[in-house]
Amino acid sequence: MKKILHILVLPQMAGSQRISLEILKNLPDDEFEKHVLFGTEICGEKREECQRLFEAAGAKVIYLKTLKRAIGLSDFQALISIYKLCRQYRYDIVHTHSTKPGIIGRIGARLARVPNIIHTVHGLSFHDYVKFPKWQFYWLCEMFASLFCDRIVLVNRYYAKYFRWFKSKTSTIYNGVDFSRLSTPSVFPQQNETSSVNVLSVGRLDTQKDPLTLMKAAQIVIRQAPNVHFTIVGNGELYADCERFIRENYLNTHITLAGWQDNVQPFYATHDIFALTSIYESFGLIFVEAGFHYLPTVATNVEGIPEVIKNEVTGLLTNPHDYEGTAKKILQLALDSRMRTDMGRKAHEWVTSQFTIDRMVRAYVELYNIENR
């Protein structure tokens, strides 16, 4: 039986945790002894839910206090602890997820002589909106850590340009969604131009998602099409700024801030268009979910998004920070019910053929098997 360890920072069910969970859940229990390592910065209900789900997948959950998001002296302690853990359990495979676990985990596992070390790049710290000194530092850390692993998995093809020195190690495995856990989608009937059109956005209200650009776009859309309503689902450090923008521009009847929602599935059934104005995004599982529910998407043409959304086929892409361009794309869909219906159907067909959980897990299992021959 092969022993496998997944390493992540936060014990909460976000993007990389969901991917790790699906991989472990679908590994045969009679072939793999499964462990997962987390830091302890998250506690309470989120940690309890995360632990419960991983244990239900047959994984032993281990916590490490020194494994933290921020860079600090605790990183050296975490590296030593991971080294000791790998020596103790003699893992056959260590699979790290995201930047911090990817750096510390790969080095610690290699020092412990773990035979197969795999790292999935769920996102990069050296994106276009990081200033050069930090960009260079993060890039150097990632490249150095890449020396300590056997395989580097990218969640999009765009990132391959950063790893050209490790071309022989890299492969792309798109994230997948377990569509069976989603509510049954409904296809909207074609609507005439006087019908109410509802635009949905789901995501953390932070700098990366750039919700104020969407707010400014919404203001333009509403002036030209008063029948359009926006619902913003999410919370974050820019929530108060969004509230202020709505209040100061008298948009309360046109934009609803729904806050954090444990279950966003019901929102898909009552909306016609999905929109998100991220300034960087490695993949975006939320786009897959929106497509599954027959929603065409307006999003930014950055990083991995164009690989999930086919421009002018399943959605419309615009430039980051371009609120006028975003408004134009939303209006295009809002005023053309046939386009919405056509793109929505194509979005459903695209995501259900390309981004299934079975397809993703099969690719990882094949990778594990290749690495263990």
Side-chain angles (χ1 to χ4, degrees):
M1 181 177 287
K2 299 167 187 172
K3 294 183 179 180
I4 183 169
L5 171 69
H6 279 216
I7 305 179
L8 304 104
V9 173
L10 300 179
Q12 64 176 5
M13 294 313 299
S16 58
Q17 289 84 351
R18 285 169 60 183
I19 297 303
S20 173
L21 176 65
E22 292 297 341
I23 296 170
L24 293 174
K25 184 166 66 176
N26 286 278
L27 292 179
D29 290 331
D30 59 345
E31 294 182 25
F32 290 89
E33 180 180 332
K34 298 174 277 188
H35 293 183
V36 60
L37 177 67
F38 292 110
T40 59
E41 289 181 282
I42 298 293
C43 57
E45 292 182 3
K46 289 183 179 180
R47 187 203 287 188
E48 291 171 4
E49 178 199 18
C50 184
Q51 179 170 334
R52 176 178 55 79
L53 290 171
F54 274 90
E55 287 179 342
K60 174 183 174 67
V61 178
I62 304 169
Y63 292 105
L64 181 59
K65 289 183 179 180
T66 52
L67 182 58
K68 301 177 180 179
R69 284 179 293 179
I71 297 172
L73 294 176
S74 62
D75 293 342
F76 295 101
Q77 295 173 296
L79 191 154
I80 294 169
S81 296
I82 290 172
Y83 163 80
K84 291 179 178 179
L85 186 70
C86 291
R87 294 286 291 176
Q88 176 185 349
Y89 286 102
R90 298 184 181 276
Y91 294 112
D92 299 287
I93 304 169
V94 167
H95 187 164
T96 60
H97 298 265
S98 299
T99 303
K100 176 60 82 66
I103 294 171
I104 297 173
R106 281 183 282 180
I107 296 172
R110 181 57 81 214
L111 293 176
R113 297 184 180 180
V114 173
N116 302 296
I117 302 168
I118 298 167
H119 174 60
T120 296
V121 181
H122 292 281
L124 294 176
S125 299
F126 47 94
H127 51 76
D128 291 341
Y129 294 90
V130 174
K131 293 181 179 180
F132 182 71
K134 283 188 177 181
W135 189 100
Q136 188 176 45
F137 173 74
Y138 292 144
W139 179 85
L140 286 171
C141 288
E142 185 68 45
M143 294 306 108
F144 179 71
S146 295
L147 297 170
F148 293 82
C149 66
D150 301 287
R151 299 293 297 178
I152 300 168
V153 177
L154 311 176
V155 297
N156 61 53
R157 298 187 188 278
Y158 174 85
Y159 283 165
K161 66 179 185 178
Y162 296 114
F163 294 88
R164 58 184 180 270
W165 291 280
F166 303 98
K167 189 175 181 180
S168 62
K169 291 184 178 184
T170 59
S171 58
T172 298
I173 299 177
Y174 289 125
N175 291 337
V177 170
D178 181 2
F179 296 118
S180 66
R181 70 175 178 80
L182 304 182
S183 56
T184 304
S186 58
V187 183
F188 276 88
Q190 291 188 4
Q191 302 162 311
N192 60 47
E193 282 67 22
T194 60
S195 300
S196 175
V197 177
N198 298 310
V199 181
L200 174 66
S201 184
V202 179
R204 183 168 173 77
L205 303 182
D206 59 10
T207 301
Q208 177 191 352
K209 306 299 182 183
D210 189 22
L212 289 173
T213 288
L214 182 59
M215 295 282 180
K216 293 174 184 177
Q219 186 178 27
I220 295 172
V221 170
I222 292 161
R223 285 173 185 164
Q224 299 184 45
N227 64 317
V228 179
H229 186 274
F230 289 77
T231 303
I232 315 295
V233 176
N235 208 340
E237 54 264 34
L238 296 181
Y239 188 91
D241 293 337
C242 293
E243 277 188 316
R244 188 180 308 109
F245 183 89
I246 293 170
R247 184 175 61 253
E248 291 177 352
N249 292 281
Y250 306 100
L251 297 170
N252 303 69
T253 58
H254 294 282
I255 302 177
T256 299
L257 287 179
W260 171 262
Q261 300 289 326
D262 290 327
N263 181 18
V264 299
Q265 297 304 307
F267 288 88
Y268 293 119
T270 55
H271 288 76
D272 310 276
I273 301 167
F274 188 83
L276 197 63
T277 48
S278 305
I279 60 174
Y280 58 93
E281 194 83 54
S282 62
F283 184 83
L285 287 169
I286 199 71
F287 299 127
V288 178
E289 291 191 3
F292 176 73
H293 288 278
Y294 293 91
L295 299 189
T297 295
V298 174
T300 43
N301 187 19
V302 295
E303 295 193 347
I305 292 179
E307 298 174 47
V308 184
I309 300 167
K310 299 172 71 176
N311 191 31
E312 299 186 355
V313 178
T314 68
L316 300 172
L317 299 179
T318 185
N319 295 321
H321 297 311
D322 182 6
Y323 61 90
E324 292 179 337
T326 301
K328 181 179 178 181
K329 302 295 185 183
I330 293 174
L331 277 167
Q332 205 175 334
L333 285 168
L335 299 176
D336 191 335
S337 61
R338 289 188 177 183
M339 177 184 282
R340 290 199 303 275
T341 301
D342 182 56
M343 283 191 171
R345 286 200 180 104
K346 289 177 179 176
H348 179 83
E349 292 170 0
W350 171 248
V351 301
T352 53
S353 65
Q354 298 297 314
F355 307 115
T356 65
I357 200 67
D358 290 341
R359 187 169 181 164
M360 181 197 77
V361 171
R362 187 164 57 249
Y364 275 110
V365 170
E366 289 175 0
L367 186 62
Y368 291 162
N369 288 336
I370 288 171
E371 294 300 323
N372 279 274
R373 286 177 184 170

